[in-house]
Amino acid sequence: MTAELDFSRGAAFCEGRFVPIAEAKISILDWGFTRSDVTYDVVHARNGAFFRLADHLDRFERSLKVFRLAPPYDRGQIETILGQCVVLSGLRDAYVAMVCTRGRPRVAGSRKPADCDNTFAAYAIPWIDVIPLDVQARGAHLWIASTPRIPAASIDPTAKNYHWGDLTRGLFEAHDAGADTAVLLDAEGYVTEGPGFNVFAIRNGEVLTPDRGALEGITRQSVLDVCAAAGIPARIAPLRADDLLDADEVFCATTAGGVMPASRVNGRILSNDRPGPLSLRLRELYWSLHDTGRHATPVNFDDADHPFKT
Amino acid sequence: MTAELDFSRGAAFCEGRFVPIAEAKISILDWGFTRSDVTYDVVHARNGAFFRLADHLDRFERSLKVFRLAPPYDRGQIETILGQCVVLSGLRDAYVAMVCTRGRPRVAGSRKPADCDNTFAAYAIPWIDVIPLDVQARGAHLWIASTPRIPAASIDPTAKNYHWGDLTRGLFEAHDAGADTAVLLDAEGYVTEGPGFNVFAIRNGEVLTPDRGALEGITRQSVLDVCAAAGIPARIAPLRADDLLDADEVFCATTAGGVMPASRVNGRILSNDRPGPLSLRLRELYWSLHDTGRHATPVNFDDADHPFKT
């Protein structure tokens, strides 16, 4: 059946079946939409293999626990579904998302999250760079927004969520100022993260990334891993706006883009207005880590009959 | 064409056409979902007429401005669409929502909200009581949650949004404690609102509702209006947890439920463990306000050919 469908722009698993990405939709009444009561994770495939898939699945499970969500599929089934989305899409480099929403109440009229049947969806679409490649090439221009990040006490930033209103407001501030993207501080003035990425500062050869208000990024972990392997000092530490403004180099890190160098923060020029040397080295080390195969889970592209039945 | 469709469970306008509510869906890639970059409003129809429709449309326009969203339809068209949803549903008492999402970028790969084509959807479904009627009858048991409300500096609570993660967490706290629903405080300990309603305290005959961290509810306004008309003192003022716990009466107010009395707060019994007398009087005055026709916009149920064409 699926053989007749066009998955070339992406393949999704939605409402229990595989569909082209254009048909992947959720009900306008799903609390995942009307209450942003949803969690997700994104893993990437590179050269036909998932990268750090187990880490992403581990984090997805932690996020599910935080939000008290339970998808109707177990970890093994989810892994099969993700693989099948990539197979159907035919994409060897892909952005692969898994999503669990609260769904809708089983009990008519109930307003209790516990009465809802949670839903699961997944999709594989062409690779995305959170900061476009041409911008990465000259170094991203970051903007420290005045909008404060939603506090961890209200929404746990280590559990992936779609509460992006503060990040969107920050993005508008950045674009209004002619910058590429935003970095948000918390109410106490500490650096947290940007829309979809962790941020790093390099000072005197040391690599620093915020200790609060941010996702515990898996790409962030890869950066710390390659630093450790290469003997580059790196630390998770409190950072303030001045630590970015006065840094020798700044870069961003995320699954959808990898290590992405910056060259300006609030108009202030860093590393001669181009990607800094240590940022470039870390980018190279990050991609080299893929070549080792250490974190690779190959996708079986011959498996086009998608054994996963619902 | 639509004559063949079954709109009995609700009618929606979605992606430019009228569909049964079960078919009203949004793309899993719409930023309205993946970034909760969306605003909405809810108006109710009672006995075949919208109540305070102009006030809801005014607020929707203000919310759109706050989030820099622009639906592809103007106010007159939106009013027509809302009416048509009610007509198609055949519901004389209805919960009627209008929703504008950021949509998806026109420019492939763009991460800029300004590059997105915003979408508009609307739907009419059977009347909802945010607090079920049987619970209203004995008085709702409220729970002052320990999760703080997302601060206004991060997300403007006066612009309607789906950032409900804090409210959901509060709901879980309430349900875990055996209560019906939650009320959230801000980080400074001031009362804000609950999941989908404003909260009121009555002390010594005076009606009080929070001055911060809450939606400027249109039902809240109706309560203040009927108080003014009836000579009942009422005030928008800072309230702390103790102001609820020590109140003579407490009630909640929202479009989807009207005036909803409470009888307990964190297990503490108010007004003899039942809806208080002034709360009940305000509920009666609120519904009487509908009968005056002052705020009514009748729906033309003969208009089944839905003149709105896209």
Side-chain angles (χ1 to χ4, degrees):
Chain A
M1 181 196 100
T2 46
E4 301 156 21
L5 301 172
D6 178 11
F7 291 103
S8 63
R9 299 183 71 176
F13 178 83
C14 209
E15 297 179 326
R17 59 200 190 96
F18 293 95
V19 294
I21 187 66
E23 291 172 30
K25 297 179 180 182
I26 65 159
S27 167
I28 208 167
L29 302 180
D30 190 311
W31 292 9
F33 177 56
T34 62
R35 301 180 175 203
S36 202
D37 194 359
V38 50
T39 190
Y40 75 110
D41 218 291
V42 174
V43 58
H44 71 275
R46 189 80 175 175
N47 292 327
F50 287 115
F51 186 68
R52 304 195 84 144
L53 178 59
D55 293 327
H56 285 280
L57 291 170
D58 286 348
R59 186 173 62 190
F60 187 54
E61 287 179 349
R62 285 197 304 276
S63 298
L64 289 167
K65 274 205 192 88
V66 167
F67 296 121
R68 296 168 67 164
L69 289 161
Y73 306 109
D74 65 24
R75 183 176 171 127
Q77 290 173 312
I78 288 172
E79 197 169 329
T80 303
I81 291 167
L82 296 176
Q84 200 54 46
C85 286
V86 177
V87 170
L88 286 170
S89 74
L91 295 164
R92 296 186 60 81
D93 293 339
Y95 172 105
V96 187
M98 59 205 94
V99 184
C100 180
T101 75
R102 184 69 63 194
R104 297 183 58 196
R106 274 182 300 280
V107 184
S110 169
R111 304 282 292 178
K112 294 189 177 180
D115 287 341
C116 291
D117 285 319
N118 303 168
T119 80
F120 178 78
Y123 53 91
I125 53 175
W127 173 266
I128 290 169
D129 286 290
V130 161
I131 297 173
L133 285 180
D134 57 331
V135 174
Q136 288 187 43
R138 66 152 159 76
H141 299 169
L142 305 185
W143 191 260
I144 300 173
S146 68
T147 305
R149 187 82 178 100
I150 294 171
S154 295
I155 307 287
D156 182 347
T158 71
K160 275 183 88 80
N161 65 77
Y162 287 149
H163 284 65
W164 271 47
D166 52 346
L167 297 166
T168 297
R169 220 159 127 177
L171 262 183
F172 271 119
E173 288 187 53
H175 298 157
D176 288 347
D180 299 309
T181 189
V183 173
L184 267 63
L185 309 177
D186 66 15
E188 290 73 40
Y190 289 97
V191 177
T192 64
E193 61 190 346
F197 56 81
N198 287 117
V199 64
F200 289 75
I202 301 176
R203 292 191 70 172
N204 305 318
E206 190 181 29
V207 176
L208 302 161
T209 194
D211 65 346
R212 66 194 71 189
L215 183 73
E216 292 170 354
I218 290 169
T219 307
R220 183 181 83 154
Q221 187 56 51
S222 293
V223 169
L224 297 173
D225 290 351
V226 298
C227 283
I232 300 163
R235 208 154 40 93
I236 296 169
L239 291 183
R240 300 189 68 93
D242 281 347
D243 293 313
L244 293 187
L245 291 164
D246 298 338
D248 300 322
E249 301 178 31
V250 166
F251 66 91
C252 309
T254 185
T255 290
V259 172
M260 305 175 297
S263 58
R264 297 188 192 180
V265 178
N266 287 29
R268 199 182 292 197
I269 291 173
L270 309 176
S271 54
N272 296 317
D273 212 12
R274 54 179 181 255
L278 190 44
S279 301
L280 291 173
R281 188 174 163 214
L282 289 170
R283 184 166 73 178
E284 201 182 304
L285 289 170
Y286 172 69
W287 289 115
S288 300
L289 187 59
H290 289 64
D291 301 329
T292 65
R294 255 184 64 202
H295 295 294
T297 305
V299 174
N300 182 3
F301 280 89
D302 296 329
D303 186 19
D305 293 330
H306 56 91
F308 186 82
K309 307 285 185 211
T310 59
Chain B
M1 182 195 98
T2 47
E4 301 156 20
L5 300 172
D6 177 12
F7 291 103
S8 63
R9 300 183 71 176
F13 178 82
C14 209
E15 298 178 325
R17 60 202 188 95
F18 293 96
V19 293
I21 188 65
E23 291 171 31
K25 298 178 181 182
I26 64 158
S27 168
I28 207 168
L29 302 180
D30 191 310
W31 291 9
F33 177 55
T34 64
R35 301 181 174 202
S36 202
D37 194 0
V38 48
T39 191
Y40 74 111
D41 217 290
V42 173
V43 58
H44 71 274
R46 189 83 176 175
N47 292 328
F50 287 115
F51 186 69
R52 301 195 86 142
L53 178 59
D55 293 327
H56 285 280
L57 290 171
D58 285 348
R59 187 174 62 188
F60 186 55
E61 287 179 349
R62 285 198 303 274
S63 297
L64 289 167
K65 273 206 192 88
V66 167
F67 296 121
R68 294 167 69 163
L69 288 161
Y73 305 109
D74 65 25
R75 184 176 171 126
Q77 290 173 312
I78 288 172
E79 197 169 330
T80 304
I81 291 168
L82 296 175
Q84 200 54 46
C85 286
V86 176
V87 170
L88 286 170
S89 74
L91 296 163
R92 296 186 60 81
D93 292 339
Y95 172 104
V96 187
M98 60 205 95
V99 184
C100 180
T101 76
R102 183 70 62 193
R104 297 183 58 197
R106 275 182 299 279
V107 183
S110 169
R111 306 281 292 176
K112 294 189 178 179
D115 287 340
C116 291
D117 284 320
N118 304 170
T119 80
F120 178 79
Y123 53 90
I125 54 176
W127 174 265
I128 290 170
D129 286 290
V130 160
I131 297 174
L133 284 179
D134 57 331
V135 173
Q136 288 188 43
R138 66 151 158 78
H141 299 169
L142 305 186
W143 191 259
I144 300 173
S146 68
T147 304
R149 186 83 178 99
I150 294 171
S154 294
I155 307 287
D156 182 348
T158 70
K160 274 185 88 78
N161 65 78
Y162 287 149
H163 284 66
W164 271 47
D166 52 345
L167 297 167
T168 297
R169 222 161 127 177
L171 263 183
F172 271 119
E173 287 186 53
H175 298 156
D176 289 347
D180 299 310
T181 190
V183 173
L184 268 61
L185 308 178
D186 66 15
E188 289 73 40
Y190 289 96
V191 177
T192 63
E193 60 189 345
F197 56 82
N198 287 117
V199 64
F200 288 76
I202 301 176
R203 292 190 71 171
N204 305 319
E206 189 181 30
V207 177
L208 301 161
T209 193
D211 64 345
R212 65 194 73 188
L215 183 73
E216 292 170 355
I218 289 168
T219 307
R220 183 181 82 154
Q221 187 56 51
S222 292
V223 169
L224 298 173
D225 290 352
V226 298
C227 283
I232 300 163
R235 205 154 42 91
I236 296 169
L239 291 183
R240 301 190 67 93
D242 281 348
D243 292 313
L244 293 188
L245 291 163
D246 299 337
D248 299 322
E249 302 179 31
V250 166
F251 67 90
C252 309
T254 185
T255 290
V259 172
M260 306 174 296
S263 58
R264 297 188 191 180
V265 178
N266 287 27
R268 198 182 293 196
I269 292 173
L270 309 176
S271 55
N272 296 318
D273 211 12
R274 55 178 182 257
L278 189 46
S279 302
L280 290 174
R281 188 174 164 216
L282 288 171
R283 184 165 72 179
E284 201 181 304
L285 289 171
Y286 173 69
W287 289 115
S288 300
L289 188 58
H290 290 64
D291 301 331
T292 65
R294 251 184 65 202
H295 295 294
T297 305
V299 174
N300 181 3
F301 281 89
D302 297 327
D303 185 19
D305 294 328
H306 56 92
F308 186 82
K309 307 288 186 210
T310 59

